[in-house]
Amino acid sequence: MDRNRLLVVDDEPVVRELLSATLRFAGYTVGSAATGSEALDAARHAPPTWCCWT
């Protein structure tokens, strides 16, 4: 398991992409989702160490 895997969840594409890009630049592996349902699917597929719901 990647100890630096984050999942960013936000329904605003600009916010989601900005936060994801910033975290990638900081060295994290980042997944993203626009809805709670997408977040659950993403977490099942590649379990994150941390989630950021905004």
Side-chain angles (χ1 to χ4, degrees):
M1 180 184 207
D2 184 354
R3 295 187 58 157
N4 291 319
R5 182 176 238 335
L6 304 177
L7 179 60
V8 174
V9 184
D10 194 294
D11 63 343
E12 291 291 330
V14 173
V15 173
R16 189 172 60 248
E17 289 304 315
L18 180 61
L19 185 53
S20 294
T22 301
L23 291 167
R24 276 190 209 95
F25 183 76
Y28 292 95
T29 301
V30 180
S32 64
T35 66
S37 178
E38 285 181 18
L40 290 173
D41 288 341
R44 283 187 200 106
H45 181 265
T49 305
W50 301 99
C51 286
C52 179
W53 296 71
T54 62

